[in-house]
Amino acid sequence: MTTTFRALLGATALCAIGGAAAAQDPVTLTIATVNNGDMIRMQQMTAPFTEANPDIRLDWVTLEENILRERVTTDIATGGGQYDVLTIGTYEVPIWAAQGWLAPLEDLPDDYDVDDLIPAVREALSVDDTLFAAPFYAESAMVMYRTDLAEAAGVTIPDNPTWTDIRTAAEAMTDRDAEVYGICLRGKPGWGENMAFLTAMANSYGARWFDTEWAPQFDSPEWQATLTDYLEMMTNYGPPGASSNGFNENLSLFQQGRCGIWIDATVAASFVTDPTDSTVADSVGFAQFPNKDGVDNHGNWLWAWNLAIPASSQKQDAARSFVAWATSKGYTDMIAEAQGWRAAPPGTRTSLYENPEYQEAAPFAAMTLEAINSANTQQSSVQEVPYTGGQFVAIPEFQGIGTQVGQTFSAALAGQMSADDALAAAQSSTAREMARAGYPK
Amino acid sequence: MATRQTAGLARLMRAPAIILLLIWMIVPLGMTLYYSFLNYNLLNPANVSWAGWFNYQYFYTDPAFFAAIRNTLVLVLGVLTITVVLGIAIALLIDKPIWGQGIVRILIISPFFVMPPVAALIWKNMIMHPSYGVFADIARFLGLQPVDWFAQYPLTSIIIIVAWQWLPFATLILLTALQSLDGEQMEAAEMDGAGPVSRFIHLTLPHLARAITVVVLIQTIFLLGIYAEILVTTNGGPGNASTNLTYLIYRAARLNFDIGGAAAGGIIAVILANIVAIFLMRAVGKNLD
Amino acid sequence: MARVITPRARIGYTAAAWIVALTLFFPILYTIITSLKTEQEAIAGFRMIPSFTLSSFEAVQNQNNYWRPFTNSVILAVGSTLVALVVGIPAAWAMAFSPTKNTRGILMWMLSTKMMPAVAVLVPIYLIFLRTGLMDTRTGLIIVLMLMNLPIVIWMLYTYFREIPGEILEAARMDGASLKDEILYVLTPMAIPGIASTMLLNVILAWNEAFWTIQLTTTNAAPLSAFIASFSSPQGLFWAKLSAASVMAIAPILIMGWFSQKQLVRGLTFGAVK
């Protein structure tokens, strides 16, 4: 036994030495990113940075969003220090910053021009006026619709539609025999999937997740109206199998001309108007996120993918220079030059939206900017709320709660339970989790 | 004397494996047991306190808990039934003299090499997708409404995927067992006028008992721990329709980052798994000697 | 059972067997076909003939260099298997040839260590890995994968060794063979097929492990399971690319499996054949 064991230990030690010897100058930054188009583009465009900083090497960990979140959260919460730059969402930033897990982004280079960041985005990434993450791209939500179908059906969608307008238009555009469905909305369960949409929709209906005592509000008439209308629209005018449709599936359906209206993240605008992927690129109209008659609220959807530096990283300076480079104006210009203005990461800088070339290339620019600017993440509902966040609630427990509620609503959409049962189940599961987490705090 | 020496030597040879596995079991198990009595959320590491039995109570009173146990059993039994029944059928078939036996066997064994997340992705996107999957294409070709598998039949869909992965394993074990069946005895039975069904029940099946036991035992160990397929396809839903015990723990650990709750769930799962194992041993263990 | 059957029956059996085989293989086949399509073709409805473009493979390779995770997968699968054999062979040998009344109990206990849900022990293991510097090292993963599969390895070897008749050992001992000779010249030749198939199965299990290999690595030790995790559900439905990545992840082990099919089949018997 002893010999084998000793041999094993020896082998371990040898390998450990080998590993340590390899990690020396130059500095290697380990960057964790999500596998969406903009991030992958960045990964392939880093040559200017590495040329300007020959002592910095970049090592990428690209993962699917949920796996990335799990992986990065475990590491940062245990102080693992495996990553030097993290790609995280607006949901994590305030929570992690409050835990002291993120290094504040101070002393950024002068040409970074922090004041150029769109105020709503900057605010969402700051705690007590200190920036904790740099936005790579940002989005709100808006209505995308087929102008040709709307015209053929004899309906118009105003720039600021109400849900009644949307419902009427969806009904008119639906043609099941031609496999054209009036409205496509997210149905796939998940706090960042159907619940992102439904939370924004609930906001626009005047609903809220919690009252000021942190009691869940699924038993309120506002939530009931939200869910009932959502189910009714999707059942009558939505595509089959909608309970498995997330952003990707709806994007694909819209690009193939199967959807009359799609309400989703503003980043989709550049995909649906891109003639190489979209069969309907020439006939897409845009409008603001709808609101319910008499409720002054457009959902307040605001999301950004951001670069942040964990406090546990040993290479803060190098990491900061990379973050500053990747979210700078210069990066935007470089992408625009190499791949056209449409490929520029949207939503983060005012200067981009003031740029006539961008306005020319991206017909949806004005609508996107308006949507982002009008998103109020500090006060997402017309009723008083104890939390921040637009299409989510910025508390650590929300991932779990939101996904659980999302499952319930998805089951309702799949026809496995009624709206009332789904709301009751959501109410009790949320109350249970909140009690466990010790709210009200 | 020689025997004593051998016995000592045998102990020495067994020791590394036993000690390693003991460490591998006790260290995590001990830590898990400890965590299961703590209020410990990874997102709030500063706030750790003693929880007593609360985590257990919380896990046990989860509305999804009994659904998860039921789903776990359905999943395990469903996959076992499909793999054993179809495994016997396929083994009988490819045991016949057929042309291209080698290639047939290679094709049948292939699903076993596919890693679970990839298998789930393939089935979810390419085969069962309600708009672009092959099943939907077939349905449309037949003039039927495509089935939205993961919404309408979530647990069944997962059973199909998992059974697909494990069918090769069952088939091959049963095939090797079948090949050792005494041909003369079979012929004698045939001479005596026993029909194919009767021969199957009275000769083949008893002969396969041991192989079936092995299939059931090994597969149960792996099937109790299924989660990747669920994570990729349904995320346990809609509702809790496809949440099994492992996935429930996964949910606590990776979505809620509730280390205490996940640990309590883990301990409950270990206890239940061992009950199943003891039951399994009693039921089939005799076959193994 | 090589009994004589009529040609017509043979044709019938052959047809049925091929239908079953192709049905089971179809998902893999269709993935390979899809990987050779363009993205538009991939979601344009059922088509068995792709345009044979390699653009998806190129795109995958550009996004994520394949060779590093591939190398890691090979090292992890083979490394953990070899260590498991080094630990497992003596243990299985001892249990097979000097069984005690506890042997069966020990074997069952070993198998039962596989019943702990991995996710419940993630945090303890993660902390241990951080403290010991094993995080994102191949050594660390080799140890974990080895421990995970050790019970199966020992059990397989045990059932295999038990098939070796004890009389041969007795005879060798009578002839004055030392323990070393006994192992080297008598047992090893008889055990090699069993060891080979154990090795194969273990390589497959280690290759396909997708929990620890993702959670305990970042870049240096990340194998193909992490590679595939960077292609699932990005923005947009890129099924040709996803298929190409899937093919790249499973092809090596699939090809290895095809070539070593006979040895593997023998090993899968778990002593079930008497």
Side-chain angles (χ1 to χ4, degrees):
Chain A
M1 160 227 144
T2 20
T3 11
T4 324
F5 205 61
R6 212 175 283 156
L8 256 179
L9 281 177
T12 316
L14 269 179
C15 292
I17 291 166
Q24 273 179 9
D25 296 339
V27 182
T28 300
L29 292 180
T30 305
I31 306 169
T33 82
V34 64
N35 66 341
N36 64 40
D38 288 283
M39 289 309 191
I40 286 164
R41 187 178 294 131
M42 167 173 56
Q43 197 175 327
Q44 289 161 358
M45 300 290 282
T46 52
F49 178 78
T50 42
E51 277 158 25
N53 300 275
D55 55 330
I56 299 179
R57 269 195 52 211
L58 304 177
D59 230 343
W60 297 84
V61 181
T62 316
L63 291 170
E64 184 263 323
E65 181 176 340
N66 292 317
I67 300 177
L68 177 85
R69 188 170 278 122
E70 281 172 14
R71 196 53 203 87
V72 163
T73 309
T74 309
D75 192 66
I76 201 160
T78 53
Q82 294 290 304
Y83 304 102
D84 304 302
V85 177
L86 308 173
T87 307
I88 57 177
T90 31
Y91 168 67
E92 283 92 0
V93 175
I95 300 172
W96 291 12
Q99 291 286 358
W101 291 343
L102 299 179
L105 285 182
E106 286 158 340
D107 307 323
L108 289 165
D110 290 340
D111 62 350
Y112 187 77
D113 194 3
V114 182
D115 295 326
D116 185 38
L117 297 178
I118 291 176
V121 177
R122 186 178 171 183
E123 189 177 12
L125 303 176
S126 300
V127 176
D128 297 332
D129 290 329
T130 306
L131 194 64
F132 279 92
F136 187 76
Y137 78 78
E139 64 183 29
S140 182
M142 65 181 173
V143 175
M144 290 159 274
Y145 66 98
R146 293 273 301 283
T147 47
D148 53 336
L149 289 179
E151 199 174 321
V155 288
T156 50
I157 294 178
D159 280 353
N160 284 295
T162 64
W163 282 106
T164 317
D165 295 328
I166 295 296
R167 196 186 171 289
T168 314
E171 184 176 5
M173 289 191 229
T174 302
D175 181 357
R176 287 189 174 273
D177 295 333
E179 288 193 70
V180 173
Y181 305 97
I183 190 159
C184 295
L185 302 172
R186 295 184 183 188
K188 187 190 204 165
W191 69 271
E193 283 282 5
N194 65 343
M195 287 321 289
F197 175 78
L198 276 164
T199 303
M201 181 172 172
N203 287 338
S204 74
Y205 266 70
R208 55 181 171 173
W209 264 83
F210 301 104
D211 69 7
T212 48
E213 300 295 306
W214 291 101
Q217 298 294 302
F218 292 106
D219 50 2
S220 65
E222 291 88 357
W223 261 108
Q224 182 162 26
T226 308
L227 189 64
T228 319
D229 286 2
Y230 166 82
L231 294 176
E232 199 254 355
M233 274 194 291
M234 290 303 282
T235 314
N236 293 329
Y237 320 122
S243 65
S244 346
N245 288 352
F247 177 88
N248 290 330
E249 288 79 4
N250 283 329
L251 170 62
S252 170
L253 284 171
F254 194 90
Q255 285 180 334
Q256 290 173 37
R258 305 263 188 91
C259 302
I261 300 171
W262 178 31
I263 307 175
D264 214 307
T266 50
V267 285
S270 74
F271 305 142
V272 295
T273 54
D274 182 350
T276 54
D277 292 326
S278 175
T279 59
V280 297
D282 296 335
S283 44
V284 187
F286 302 96
Q288 288 300 302
F289 195 93
N291 63 313
K292 192 171 189 248
D293 288 294
V295 178
D296 179 22
N297 190 320
H298 286 285
N300 294 316
W301 180 309
L302 186 71
W303 184 258
W305 279 113
N306 317 286
L307 299 179
I309 303 166
S312 56
S313 163
Q314 307 291 315
K315 301 154 189 168
Q316 308 253 351
D317 290 335
R320 190 155 38 240
S321 59
F322 176 77
V323 169
W325 173 82
T327 59
S328 66
K329 286 183 203 167
Y331 177 83
T332 310
D333 293 341
M334 181 188 80
I335 293 290
E337 198 173 311
Q339 306 191 356
W341 279 102
R342 296 168 49 89
T348 62
R349 287 181 173 272
T350 316
S351 55
L352 179 69
Y353 289 87
E354 287 165 353
N355 184 328
E357 285 179 274
Y358 183 67
Q359 289 169 353
E360 171 77 31
F364 43 82
M367 202 54 94
T368 302
L369 183 65
E370 190 185 335
I372 292 176
N373 273 333
S374 64
N376 180 355
T377 54
Q378 304 301 305
Q379 176 60 44
S380 56
S381 172
V382 290
Q383 301 183 60
E384 204 180 329
V385 289
Y387 53 85
T388 64
Q391 78 285 20
F392 56 83
V393 177
I395 55 172
E397 294 77 15
F398 185 73
Q399 287 188 49
I401 293 174
T403 299
Q404 191 54 25
V405 173
Q407 280 290 4
T408 312
F409 289 173
S410 185
L413 181 57
Q416 291 174 348
M417 55 180 10
S418 70
D420 287 343
D421 289 348
L423 287 165
Q427 178 75 9
S428 68
S429 72
T430 308
R432 199 177 114 87
E433 288 290 338
M434 291 302 278
R436 163 153 180 75
Y439 286 89
K441 277 182 175 163
Chain B
M1 203 185 88
T3 358
R4 197 189 296 159
Q5 228 174 25
T6 325
L9 188 67
R11 257 204 302 280
L12 210 63
M13 288 163 74
R14 274 200 308 259
I18 292 178
I19 290 170
L20 280 175
L21 283 174
L22 212 59
I23 296 171
W24 176 236
M25 185 185 77
I26 285 177
V27 172
L29 198 65
M31 287 174 91
T32 307
L33 200 61
Y34 170 66
Y35 284 151
S36 73
F37 292 107
L38 294 182
N39 285 315
Y40 178 13
N41 191 305
L42 203 53
L43 295 172
N44 207 350
N47 215 345
V48 177
S49 61
W50 188 252
W53 291 98
F54 181 72
N55 285 322
Y56 289 91
Q57 192 198 346
Y58 190 76
F59 196 84
Y60 170 78
T61 56
D62 190 320
F65 180 68
F66 286 99
I69 289 189
R70 193 192 69 95
N71 290 339
T72 308
L73 291 177
V74 171
L75 181 62
V76 172
L77 292 176
V79 175
L80 285 178
T81 311
I82 293 176
T83 51
V84 170
V85 172
L86 285 185
I88 291 174
I90 297 174
L92 283 172
L93 184 63
I94 57 178
D95 190 35
K96 307 278 185 209
I98 52 170
W99 285 295
Q101 201 163 30
I103 301 174
V104 163
R105 211 184 279 179
I106 278 176
L107 294 181
I108 287 177
I109 198 178
S110 294
F112 191 58
F113 301 125
V114 180
M115 58 175 84
V118 175
L121 283 170
I122 290 176
W123 277 85
K124 177 192 175 191
N125 293 327
M126 249 74 77
I127 309 293
M128 287 175 159
H129 196 283
S131 309
Y132 312 115
V134 174
F135 284 177
D137 289 324
I138 294 172
R140 272 194 294 265
F141 179 74
L142 298 173
L144 302 169
Q145 178 73 36
V147 174
D148 185 2
W149 286 88
F150 294 109
Q152 286 168 287
Y153 309 104
L155 199 54
T156 313
S157 309
I158 288 166
I159 290 175
I160 292 173
I161 298 174
V162 177
W164 177 75
Q165 288 177 271
W166 284 97
L167 189 54
F169 176 81
T171 305
L172 288 176
I173 290 188
L174 293 164
L175 177 67
T176 3
L178 210 55
Q179 282 167 342
S180 69
L181 187 58
D182 190 350
E184 280 171 31
Q185 206 180 355
M186 216 38 152
E187 270 165 49
E190 205 173 344
M191 300 279 211
D192 290 347
V197 177
S198 148
R199 266 180 286 148
F200 176 75
I201 292 175
H202 295 292
L203 279 176
T204 314
L205 218 48
H207 178 77
L208 289 181
R210 205 177 135 83
I212 294 174
T213 308
V214 170
V215 170
V216 168
L217 186 73
I218 296 290
Q219 284 197 23
T220 305
I221 292 173
F222 283 92
L223 296 179
L224 284 171
I226 292 281
Y227 87 95
E229 290 84 346
I230 299 174
L231 181 71
V232 172
T233 56
T234 64
N235 275 308
N240 295 316
S242 57
T243 300
N244 69 355
L245 207 52
T246 315
Y247 189 78
L248 196 64
I249 298 166
Y250 184 90
R251 209 171 75 188
R254 314 305 297 152
L255 212 54
N256 300 355
F257 294 101
D258 177 4
I259 304 306
I267 297 293
I268 292 177
V270 168
I271 293 169
L272 291 178
N274 277 294
I275 292 174
V276 171
I278 291 167
F279 175 76
L280 211 62
M281 287 298 113
R282 284 274 158 78
V284 301
K286 288 186 295 279
N287 270 336
L288 281 174
D289 278 316
Chain C
M1 277 199 305
R3 287 187 298 148
V4 189
I5 57 166
T6 61
R8 189 188 289 176
R10 187 167 188 184
I11 291 171
Y13 287 138
T14 303
W18 274 91
I19 289 171
V20 168
L22 287 174
T23 309
L24 283 178
F25 188 67
F26 179 78
I28 299 172
L29 178 69
Y30 201 63
T31 307
I32 297 171
I33 291 173
T34 309
S35 73
L36 297 168
K37 292 178 176 177
T38 63
E39 292 297 347
Q40 281 85 350
E41 277 179 279
I43 53 170
F46 184 71
R47 256 188 68 191
M48 288 298 282
I49 311 292
S51 60
F52 292 104
T53 169
L54 291 177
S55 59
S56 302
F57 287 94
E58 264 170 52
V60 165
Q61 175 63 20
N62 281 340
Q63 179 181 332
N64 230 344
N65 179 20
Y66 173 69
W67 297 108
R68 184 155 75 167
F70 168 80
T71 315
N72 281 333
S73 271
V74 173
I75 292 174
L76 294 182
V78 175
S80 69
T81 302
L82 291 181
V83 181
L85 288 179
V86 168
V87 180
I89 289 175
W93 190 84
M95 286 196 267
F97 295 115
S98 314
T100 63
K101 59 183 189 306
N102 294 330
T103 299
R104 177 149 296 276
I106 292 175
L107 273 172
M108 283 307 142
W109 163 73
M110 285 180 168
L111 282 178
S112 79
T113 61
K114 287 191 67 65
M115 293 192 175
M116 183 85 187
V119 65
V121 297
L122 173 63
V123 168
I125 302 281
Y126 200 91
L127 290 172
I128 291 172
F129 262 58
L130 281 177
R131 304 271 150 77
T132 53
L134 287 174
M135 188 59 77
D136 198 25
T137 62
R138 293 172 189 155
T139 315
L141 274 185
I142 285 177
I143 293 173
V144 167
L145 292 177
M146 183 274 285
L147 288 168
M148 268 189 56
N149 292 329
L150 191 56
I152 297 280
V153 167
I154 292 178
W155 204 43
M156 276 184 78
L157 289 171
Y158 167 77
T159 51
Y160 223 101
F161 288 168
R162 261 197 348 175
E163 312 264 299
I164 299 173
E167 300 88 63
I168 292 184
L169 293 185
E170 297 284 327
R173 245 171 255 166
M174 293 291 196
D175 293 346
S178 69
L179 182 70
K180 193 184 115 210
D181 295 342
E182 198 180 292
I183 292 176
L184 222 63
Y185 300 111
V186 185
L187 275 177
T188 313
M190 298 190 69
I192 274 183
I195 295 175
S197 45
T198 308
M199 205 169 99
L200 286 171
L201 184 76
N202 197 64
V203 166
I204 295 168
L205 290 176
W207 186 281
N208 288 343
E209 207 287 327
F211 180 75
W212 295 114
T213 48
I214 290 179
Q215 300 294 341
L216 299 178
T217 60
T218 49
T219 53
N220 297 327
L224 287 169
S225 55
F227 173 80
I228 202 75
S230 68
F231 289 97
S232 53
S233 66
Q235 222 163 48
L237 301 176
F238 297 111
W239 289 356
K241 247 204 303 192
L242 177 63
S243 300
S246 302
V247 169
M248 289 161 93
I250 62 176
I253 199 79
L254 200 59
I255 292 166
M256 185 212 84
W258 286 348
F259 279 108
S260 54
Q261 187 240 134
K262 283 219 173 79
Q263 286 75 12
L264 182 67
V265 169
R266 246 187 298 174
L268 282 178
T269 60
F270 286 100
V273 187
K274 268 275 153 115

